[in-house]
Amino acid sequence: MGRLIINNAITVDGAFEAPVPEPDGWLVLDPDSQRASLEKWQAADAMVLGRKTYQGLAAVWPQMADLPGYEAYAHRMNSMTKYVASRTLSGPLTWNATLLEGDLADSVNDLKDRHSGNLIVTGAGELARDLMAQDLVDELWFTVSPYLWPTGPRIFDDLGAVRLELVATTTFPSGSVLLRYRPAPADRRRRSADRRW
């Protein structure tokens, strides 16, 4: 049974859009955190994306295949299996991607049945909120850069309260921290009950 994991880089105050490395942006990188990020993607079975994230990444990563220092990362991002949730796209898709058809919960549960490893959701838009609201997410991984950032939307701004359990933390020399959470069992039961009424 696969695990669905929402994975995002964010600031301390939850900004998530356009993570550009310093000095132009808030994304703090160091060799240890970059190695951990690559290992996370290398261990994943597949990527799950919404339309906007898919279109943005598909336009960028193929161009980075020969960029010094990014070769292994680009190879993994370009070669891995991807599933795209969209109400407007039609197949076939490029960039090793397949369109998820039909009901989101049914499609995601089918993916979990077909995969034994991690299915990583990248992006924090409508798809991520829908997956959280429907109790389809097994874990959330936030790589937090040591910045307060004054602009941009905040992650899960309009989701509502969700109680999380801390699974693990990893602190990197740069001051970035990887926080791994899962939805608390009691909160999942409460939200499931709320949906039945």
Side-chain angles (χ1 to χ4, degrees):
M1 174 72 98
R3 294 186 310 157
L4 192 75
I5 298 167
I6 290 180
N7 173 68
N8 272 101
I10 61 172
T11 63
V12 171
D13 57 342
F16 70 89
E17 246 182 19
V20 176
E22 298 177 294
D24 299 318
W26 53 260
L27 185 64
V28 175
L29 301 172
D30 62 61
D32 290 341
S33 65
Q34 287 182 289
R35 184 169 41 257
S37 179
L38 178 58
E39 289 170 357
K40 168 180 55 188
W41 286 107
Q42 287 174 330
D45 270 18
M47 187 188 307
V48 180
L49 314 97
R51 176 186 59 81
K52 290 179 184 177
T53 304
Y54 162 72
Q55 290 175 326
L57 295 181
V60 171
W61 277 109
Q63 313 307 316
M64 297 180 71
D66 298 320
L67 190 65
Y70 285 89
E71 296 94 343
Y73 212 112
H75 173 73
R76 182 60 183 146
M77 298 302 278
N78 290 325
S79 65
M80 75 186 306
T81 300
K82 300 159 192 83
Y83 299 100
V84 180
S86 173
R87 296 182 191 94
T88 57
L89 291 178
S90 58
L93 302 180
T94 62
W95 201 46
N96 294 321
T98 301
L99 192 63
L100 290 177
E101 308 269 353
D103 178 74
L104 180 64
D106 291 342
S107 296
V108 169
N109 285 322
D110 180 57
L111 288 183
K112 288 184 180 186
D113 288 341
R114 287 191 285 142
H115 289 271
S116 59
N118 294 338
L119 302 163
I120 298 185
V121 180
T122 189
E126 184 180 351
L127 173 62
R129 290 191 300 272
D130 287 349
L131 293 168
M132 284 296 297
Q134 295 185 48
D135 289 327
L136 297 168
V137 176
D138 298 294
E139 288 192 13
L140 300 102
W141 295 355
F142 300 116
T143 302
V144 183
S145 283
Y147 264 96
L148 298 175
W149 200 254
T151 59
R154 299 307 186 239
I155 195 163
F156 296 129
D157 239 356
D158 54 356
L159 179 64
V162 178
R163 178 71 167 100
L164 303 175
E165 288 183 340
L166 184 64
V167 175
T169 63
T170 305
T171 302
F172 299 106
S174 61
S176 293
V177 181
L178 171 60
L179 302 172
R180 291 178 50 193
Y181 291 99
R182 65 179 159 232
D187 189 71
R188 292 187 103 147
R189 288 193 298 271
R190 178 185 58 77
R191 286 186 292 136
S192 294
D194 289 347
R195 283 202 310 274
R196 286 196 296 269
W197 291 102

